[in-house]
Amino acid sequence: MKKLLVIIPAFNEENNIVNTINSIKNIESDYCLIDYIVINDCSLDNTLEVCIENNFNYISLPLNLGIGGAVQTGYKYAFDNGYDYAIQFDGDGQHDATYIEALITELEKGVDLVIGSRFINGVSEFKSTKIRRIGISILSFLIKIFTGKKITDPTSGFRACNKKIIELFSDNYPIDYPEPDSIVYVLKKSYSVFEIPVKMKERVNGLSSINAFKSVYYMIKVSLAIMITALSTKGEKNEN
Amino acid sequence: MKTSLIIFLSILCFILIVSIFIVILKKKMSLKYSLLWLIFALMFLLSLIFHGLIEKFAKFLGFEVASNMVFLIGFLLLMSITFALTSIISMQKEKIVLLTQELAILKKKVKELDERDYL
């Protein structure tokens, strides 16, 4: 049986983390054994204490690295421990663990990176605010220009990948603006990316890592990051 | 150039060179990065010694006043030092991220080994 690691980046999630872990523990897959790891990104609240109390499997970063650095730690751990698949799953209760099996199914079909999208088929009732949706469609458009591939939800943090991508990400992961940037990186390396519809919930507790007022600045930086990744990875092909 | 100005600038230049050497000797700055500052100080010194030449050269390039050229060169040098520093900081950030990740993973491994020993 294959081994799957669910990577849960957590920054100040003392109120959500227990529910998140329990929802994952309840999931069983026909294809693989599901393990999880919490990456505590040097939370200022009691996330670490909650992890210790509940005897969760966790890694605690001594410095705050941000979402990209935290997630990459998970990929490194997955690579070190020989996991076949890895799934990124936010610690804030936004993602729905029942979709994990659907993501694995796509991996089993041979897709390298599977993204859970809020914008396919209208499954998800929560679609973020209007301004953010505009931002997301701009990013989607940029990715289409630079890679030729339509990605409906480039900022989705709910994604699954196989061993090849685990190795790729543990070696080199776009730390600053990870979600959209990593898709471009993977596509430019000629790996396959596929989206499936998922439901996402509104954040239960805590704050999103992207502040509404900073969104314009964020958009400029991410757009730049996408372009740089697209240009600097140009022409590099994987062996497959 | 007035003699008083030359004396004043010479003192400044001397202080700059001495402070660069002090930090290098105290190992508060690695030789690699101090090189930029040494070049800066050396150019300062040379332009003091050959200030007549500088004025001729500025005229030749079309500067109205020699000091304009000196300011421009100084400005460009400072820019290049800042540019180099930004690049150095970025690379160091990457190294810190790597160290943090490796340390966290190792801490987990050590903890697991400890727990195994207790059992």
Side-chain angles (χ1 to χ4, degrees), chain A residues 29-47:
Chain A
S29 166
D30 298 335
Y31 303 106
C32 36
L33 295 167
I34 300 179
D35 288 338
Y36 71 90
I37 183 114
V38 180
I39 315 288
N40 172 36
D41 193 8
C42 205
S43 296
L44 304 168
D45 65 0
N46 292 322
T47 305

Side-chain angles (χ1 to χ4, degrees), chain A residues 135-145 149-154:
Chain A
I136 287 168
S137 49
I138 293 172
L139 292 180
S140 182
F141 178 67
L142 270 175
I143 292 175
K144 172 86 181 161
I145 289 177
K149 174 112 181 148
K150 173 99 183 133
I151 302 292
T152 60
D153 197 356

Side-chain angles (χ1 to χ4, degrees), chain B residues 1-15 44-45 48-49 51:
Chain B
M1 240 162 56
K2 275 188 179 171
T3 326
S4 57
L5 184 61
I6 293 179
I7 293 171
F8 173 66
L9 290 176
S10 304
I11 294 169
L12 278 186
C13 189
F14 178 73
I15 293 172
F44 193 175
L45 189 68
L48 270 177
I49 298 169
H51 64 267

Side-chain angles (χ1 to χ4, degrees), chain A residues 4-28:
Chain A
L4 167 90
L5 182 71
V6 181
I7 300 166
I8 306 153
F11 178 65
N12 296 349
E13 301 290 0
E14 60 179 9
N15 299 316
N16 302 316
I17 197 75
V18 176
N19 287 334
T20 304
I21 302 297
N22 286 337
S23 73
I24 286 168
K25 278 181 177 168
N26 288 330
I27 299 294
E28 275 185 35

Side-chain angles (χ1 to χ4, degrees), chain A residues 37-167:
Chain A
I37 183 114
V38 180
I39 315 288
N40 172 36
D41 193 8
C42 205
S43 296
L44 304 168
D45 65 0
N46 292 322
T47 305
L48 177 64
E49 286 74 14
V50 172
C51 286
I52 295 171
E53 246 171 59
N54 292 281
N55 214 5
F56 289 156
N57 192 33
Y58 70 90
I59 288 179
S60 192
L61 296 171
L63 295 171
N64 179 267
L65 295 183
I67 179 83
V71 165
Q72 193 187 24
T73 311
Y75 283 116
K76 284 187 177 183
Y77 179 80
F79 181 65
D80 284 352
N81 292 285
Y83 281 95
D84 300 289
Y85 297 143
I87 286 185
Q88 228 176 287
F89 192 91
D90 283 0
D92 59 11
Q94 262 197 91
H95 299 158
D96 186 340
T98 50
Y99 285 95
I100 287 178
E101 184 74 353
L103 289 168
I104 302 170
T105 311
E106 294 303 320
L107 290 177
E108 283 288 318
K109 286 181 194 163
V111 180
D112 296 311
L113 179 68
V114 187
I115 297 163
S117 167
R118 281 166 283 183
F119 304 116
I120 297 177
N121 299 347
V123 188
S124 179
E125 61 266 26
F126 168 62
K127 293 197 164 153
S128 194
T129 59
K130 196 163 194 177
I131 291 175
R132 261 187 221 171
R133 280 213 304 278
I134 293 170
I136 287 168
S137 49
I138 293 172
L139 292 180
S140 182
F141 178 67
L142 270 175
I143 292 175
K144 172 86 181 161
I145 289 177
F146 283 100
T147 66
K149 174 112 181 148
K150 173 99 183 133
I151 302 292
T152 60
D153 197 356
T155 59
S156 166
F158 192 18
R159 43 181 63 191
C161 66
N162 62 19
K163 213 166 188 168
K164 284 181 278 182
I165 304 292
I166 292 175
E167 187 175 358

Side-chain angles (χ1 to χ4, degrees), chain B residues 16-39:
Chain B
L16 178 64
I17 292 172
V18 169
S19 9
I20 293 171
F21 275 104
I22 288 175
V23 288
I24 296 173
L25 291 176
K26 280 189 175 173
K27 307 211 166 173
K28 282 183 179 168
M29 192 193 283
S30 65
L31 200 62
K32 188 176 149 195
Y33 298 138
S34 65
L35 229 56
L36 276 166
W37 287 104
L38 281 173
I39 291 169

